[in-house]
Amino acid sequence: MTSVSRAIRDVLLTGDKTAKVFATRKLARDWRMGRLEFTFDCPMPERPEWPDELELRLPRDMPRRGKGGSDKGRIALWHALAHIEFVAIDLALDMAGRFGESMGQVFVSDFLSVAADEAMHFALLERKLDSLDSHYGALPAHDGLWSAAQDTAHDVAARLAIVPMVLEARGLDVTPATLERVRAQGDENGAKILQRILDDEIRHVAYGAKHFRAVCAERGENPPETWRNLVKTHFSGGLKPPFNDSARSAAGLSRDFYAGIA
């Protein structure tokens, strides 16, 4: 059988957006069906392959996006969301492939299921862009999300603290307001897409919090205190309210983690 690490690496190095979606879903299905061996015999790439046409910029060089009231604004909104979900596929794959050997099979299962969810989210968003006569890659996108992965490639606790427990948790905070704004504009289809993403992201943050607590328990560390220290070290953006406390709590991220450093 093919090793799970080699299968993950192959998908990470798939640059075509449609091919990556299908390959991710097949990878998750093959793992779930027992068709991949729990063996780690090849390293993860330093960065994944993305579509050739995608123009990457530093976050500070990105144009400001409006509230999505105009056609141009709506395209910018859905393109930004599509980019987040596309990169999230690779973040979940890299999590499983880079740290799965030490963290175990349940960890791999959890994050390959996250990758499959993100692939489905991206497909929905790409279809939404198509309905607006646009596509993923039509606008520039920022490279800040993958920079967070590179900064935390040395330590599973740091990766869990920053990616699911900061970046994805931030989605829990901002998505409800975006959803209501989209619904108020009469876009019920868009609202349904955002609701599906929000529901799934709660589970994704919960996976991160669960495995972070397990790492802290193994190391004899206090989870909230360790998380705060890792955020101060590896996340420069700062945590800004308002917070979706109910969604964060449902994901196992209680206020004792983040209230003190917001």
Side-chain angles (χ1 to χ4, degrees):
M1 289 193 295
T2 301
S3 71
V4 68
S5 65
R6 189 165 300 277
I8 292 171
R9 180 183 172 87
D10 287 347
V11 181
L12 284 167
L13 294 177
T14 300
D16 179 81
K17 57 190 176 184
T18 303
K20 190 184 287 280
V21 166
F22 281 105
T24 300
R25 297 176 75 171
K26 181 180 184 300
L27 166 62
R29 183 168 60 252
D30 285 346
W31 171 257
R32 192 169 60 248
M33 300 296 291
R35 298 171 185 155
L36 297 171
E37 187 174 4
F38 183 69
T39 303
F40 293 79
D41 56 1
C42 64
M44 295 300 103
E46 183 176 343
R47 64 177 302 131
E49 292 291 329
W50 292 346
D52 291 338
E53 69 172 322
L54 185 65
E55 178 192 347
L56 294 174
R57 297 182 182 178
L58 293 172
R60 67 171 180 267
D61 295 331
M62 289 293 294
R64 291 184 64 83
R65 195 175 72 242
K67 297 294 186 179
S70 65
D71 289 344
K72 183 179 178 181
R74 279 190 285 271
I75 290 171
L77 168 65
W78 294 109
H79 192 279
L81 294 172
H83 180 62
I84 290 170
E85 298 300 318
F86 187 80
V87 179
I89 299 170
D90 289 329
L91 289 171
L93 292 174
D94 187 79
M95 182 83 82
R98 189 172 299 275
F99 302 112
E101 184 174 25
S102 62
M103 293 296 292
Q105 295 191 36
V106 172
F107 182 91
V108 172
S109 296
D110 285 347
F111 284 100
L112 289 186
S113 75
V114 170
D117 285 346
E118 308 293 16
M120 183 268 292
H121 297 165
F122 174 77
L124 291 173
L125 293 163
E126 175 76 341
R127 193 181 309 160
K128 183 67 175 176
L129 283 168
D130 183 66
S131 75
L132 297 169
D133 295 323
S134 189
H135 63 277
Y136 179 56
L139 298 176
H142 73 76
D143 201 26
L145 295 173
W146 193 256
S147 296
Q150 292 175 314
D151 291 344
T152 57
H154 63 289
D155 179 29
V156 65
R159 176 67 65 84
L160 289 165
I162 300 304
V163 175
M165 298 175 73
V166 170
L167 300 179
E168 288 202 77
R170 189 58 182 156
L172 303 183
D173 302 330
V174 302
T175 300
T178 305
L179 189 159
E180 290 308 316
R181 189 164 65 247
V182 165
R183 178 171 282 144
Q185 294 167 357
D187 185 359
E188 192 57 37
N189 168 262
K192 288 180 179 178
I193 292 173
L194 292 175
Q195 186 63 59
R196 176 60 188 270
I197 291 174
L198 178 60
D199 293 342
D200 289 342
E201 298 293 355
I202 292 174
R203 187 173 70 258
H204 300 173
V205 176
Y207 286 153
K210 174 183 73 172
H211 291 292
F212 182 80
R213 290 178 188 276
V215 171
C216 288
E218 184 178 328
R219 297 178 180 180
E221 297 173 349
N222 176 271
E225 181 181 345
T226 300
W227 182 80
R228 288 192 293 270
N229 289 335
L230 289 168
V231 170
K232 289 176 183 176
T233 301
H234 297 288
F235 186 70
S236 60
L239 300 183
K240 302 177 180 65
F243 300 114
N244 187 344
D245 291 330
S246 60
R248 284 171 171 259
S249 178
L253 196 56
S254 53
R255 284 189 61 84
D256 58 334
F257 276 85
Y258 57 88
I261 61 171

